[in-house]
Amino acid sequence: MTSRPRLVLGAALARGWLLVLLLLAWEAAARRAQDLYFPPPTRIVRTMRELWWSGPPSRLWLSDLAVDDFVPSVGHLLTGWALAGVAGIVVGVGIGLSRVAFHLADPVLRFGRAVPPPTLIPFLMVAFGLGTSMQLAVIVFGVVWPVLLNTAEGVRSVEPLQLDSARVFGLDGWARLWYVVLPAAAPRIFAGLRVALGFALILMVVAELMGSGEGIGSRLNAAEREFRPDQLWAGIVLLGAIGCVLNALFLLVERGVLAWHRGARRTGT
C-alpha cells in the first residue's frame, strides 16, 4: 500500500471511529429494548433499501419510489437555494456598496431574518396554494438572509487600500466590482451560501410536511399515518445523509474556488 492510500485510510479511521461506536451502541440498545419506536440501525437500513434502493442496477438501484421522493425534494431544495443565493448576492452587494443604504436597511434585514419562516406557511398557502410555488417561497424567504447579510458585510469589509489600488490602475465601476470587491468578499459570500444550504434542507422538509403530496416530507407523513416507525426513521436518516452529501459537495466547490484566497481556510472548516 502506497503512502497516500495509507494516509487516507488513517484519516477515515480517525474521523469515523466515533460514528461506528455510536452505531454499535444504538444497535445493542435497540435490540435490548425491543421498542417499536426505537428500531436498530440494521432494520432502518433494510427499510431504506426496500423503499428506495431496490431498483435495477441500470438505474443505480433506485426504485420508482426513490425517483418519486428524491426528484421533487432535491429539486425544490436546490432551486430555492439558488434563487435565494442570487437574490441575496445581488441585493447584498448593492447594500454593501452604499454606507447609507446599509445603515437604513440593516434594521429591516435583521428583523426579516428573525421572523421564523414556518410561521409564514399559512399565509403562503393562501397566497400561492399548495404545491411547488408555496414550497419555493418558504425556502427562499428562509435562506436568503444569511446570504444577503454575509454578502453585505463582506463587501463593506473590503480593504480601502484595495479600492485605492484599483483606482490607481484605472479600474472603475463594474471592473472594480468584478475584480476587486467580489473576490475580496467571496469568503463571506460562500459562508452565507453554506449556512443557507443547511437551512434550505430544513425548510424543504417543513414545507413538504405542511402541504405536499410528493417528496420525502410527504413520505414521512405517509409513514406516520400508516404507523411505520421504521419508515419514519428511514426518512430521518435519509435526510441526514442528503445534508452530509450536499455539504461535502459544497465544500469541494468552495475550496476549489477559494484555493487562492488567504481566507479560504477560515470558511472551509
Side-chain angles (χ1 to χ4, degrees):
M1 182 182 292
T2 61
S3 58
R4 182 171 179 79
R6 190 180 296 117
L7 289 174
V8 172
L9 179 60
L13 292 174
R15 293 171 63 91
W17 68 269
L18 181 58
L19 177 60
V20 173
L21 183 63
L22 290 174
L23 288 174
L24 291 175
W26 182 358
E27 181 78 19
R31 288 184 178 276
R32 181 180 179 86
Q34 294 291 319
D35 190 337
L36 179 65
Y37 297 100
F38 188 55
T42 50
R43 182 180 174 190
I44 295 172
V45 171
R46 185 167 61 250
T47 300
M48 293 176 68
R49 182 183 178 281
E50 292 171 356
L51 286 175
W52 298 303
W53 279 281
S54 57
S58 60
R59 206 166 58 182
L60 299 178
W61 294 277
L62 292 174
S63 65
D64 293 335
L65 199 61
V67 176
D68 293 340
D69 290 344
F70 296 174
V71 171
S73 291
V74 177
H76 295 157
L77 187 159
L78 294 179
T79 302
W81 175 71
L83 290 173
V86 171
I89 292 172
V90 171
V91 177
V93 168
I95 292 174
L97 290 174
S98 172
R99 180 175 298 180
V100 175
F102 179 84
H103 287 293
L104 288 175
D106 186 61
V108 178
L109 298 179
R110 303 289 175 181
F111 177 81
R113 186 180 66 170
V115 175
T119 62
L120 294 178
I121 290 180
F123 165 75
L124 295 175
M125 284 182 175
V126 174
F128 296 100
L130 295 177
T132 299
S133 298
M134 182 274 291
Q135 295 170 39
L136 290 178
V138 172
I139 296 172
V140 170
F141 178 84
V143 307
V144 71
W145 307 109
V147 181
L148 196 161
L149 293 171
N150 273 276
T151 300
E153 291 287 355
V155 171
R156 293 185 73 244
S157 64
V158 177
E159 294 290 339
L161 181 61
Q162 292 179 290
L163 298 176
D164 293 338
S165 299
R167 294 190 187 96
V168 170
F169 284 99
L171 294 178
D172 206 356
W174 288 105
R176 186 170 60 194
L177 173 66
W178 184 255
Y179 292 107
V180 178
V181 175
L182 288 179
R188 295 294 297 268
I189 294 174
F190 271 88
L193 288 170
R194 185 181 175 191
V195 172
L197 186 59
F199 286 168
L201 176 61
I202 296 171
L203 293 174
M204 177 269 291
V205 177
V206 171
E208 289 184 347
L209 286 173
M210 294 295 293
S212 175
E214 58 183 4
I216 300 171
S218 175
R219 185 64 48 204
L220 294 176
N221 280 333
E224 181 183 10
R225 290 193 304 267
E226 297 168 6
F227 195 65
R228 291 293 306 270
D230 57 331
Q231 292 189 7
L232 282 173
W233 278 100
I236 293 169
V237 173
L238 174 65
L239 290 169
I242 291 174
C244 289
V245 170
L246 290 177
N247 185 68
L249 292 175
F250 183 83
L251 280 178
L252 287 176
V253 174
E254 179 184 23
R255 287 169 179 167
V257 173
L258 300 181
W260 56 272
H261 201 289
R262 63 183 182 182
R265 291 184 179 180
R266 293 195 294 272
T267 60
T269 55

